[in-house]
Amino acid sequence: MVLSQEMMEAIEKNNIVWLATANKDNKPNVVPIGLARPLNNEKVLLVANFMNKTFENLKNNPQASIAANNISECPYQFKGNVEIHESGKYFDDAVDWAKSVMSQLNPKAAVLLNIEQIYSVQPGPDAGKKVV
């Protein structure tokens, strides 16, 4: 799956993405995430600072979806599986980034969303259509 340069810039620029997960009983959950940035054209880093239900959901069901807060700038939904890193390079990078934004943050993990599908959320006849 490949994020375009425009998609990557929009995700980084929109300081909030909405992260959707489901628990082991398939009950949905959606939360705003303030620290999200593409690492490359296939992975988005999400910093788990305040995730509780969401973090548990991701451990039990690693499928997730994000959408940028401002759909006029980034009219896409990104779906895929996640990797949770509670130590190592990704975690260290997430901690450094979070603390540079707000020194009081104490991240639980770096969550990598591996993009597998991209859908349009642009209002109109193409809404919901698979882009990639």
Side-chain angles (χ1 to χ4, degrees):
M1 204 47 45
V2 178
L3 296 169
S4 69
Q5 188 64 35
E6 175 187 64
M7 290 172 180
M8 291 190 295
E9 289 171 5
I11 291 169
E12 183 123 19
K13 181 180 170 189
N14 277 269
N15 60 7
I16 299 286
V17 298
W18 293 91
L19 171 62
T21 62
N23 70 12
K24 60 185 174 186
D25 298 321
N26 294 317
K27 300 276 190 230
N29 187 57
V30 65
V31 294
I33 302 295
L35 292 172
R37 71 164 46 143
L39 294 180
N40 56 42
N41 65 356
E42 296 178 340
K43 293 183 186 293
V44 176
L45 169 66
L46 307 166
V47 180
N49 285 300
F50 305 112
M51 295 179 187
N52 291 313
K53 286 184 291 190
T54 300
F55 196 57
E56 194 62 31
N57 289 353
L58 292 172
K59 287 180 177 180
N60 291 308
N61 178 0
Q63 296 296 308
S65 179
I66 62 169
N69 193 47
N70 186 343
I71 64 163
S72 64
E73 290 181 14
C74 187
Y76 304 102
Q77 176 191 56
F78 307 96
K79 295 183 178 191
N81 67 2
V82 299
E83 303 168 26
I84 298 172
H85 297 268
E86 297 179 84
S87 63
K89 180 189 177 345
Y90 290 121
F91 177 73
D92 294 343
D93 290 349
V95 170
D96 290 346
W97 179 30
K99 291 201 176 278
S100 75
V101 171
M102 185 185 298
S103 62
Q104 302 92 323
L105 293 176
N106 191 19
K108 296 176 188 179
V111 176
L112 298 185
L113 177 62
N114 299 298
I115 306 299
E116 297 170 349
Q117 300 171 330
I118 301 172
Y119 291 86
S120 173
V121 294
Q122 180 74 39
D126 291 334
K129 287 192 177 173
K130 190 173 184 179
V131 176
V132 179

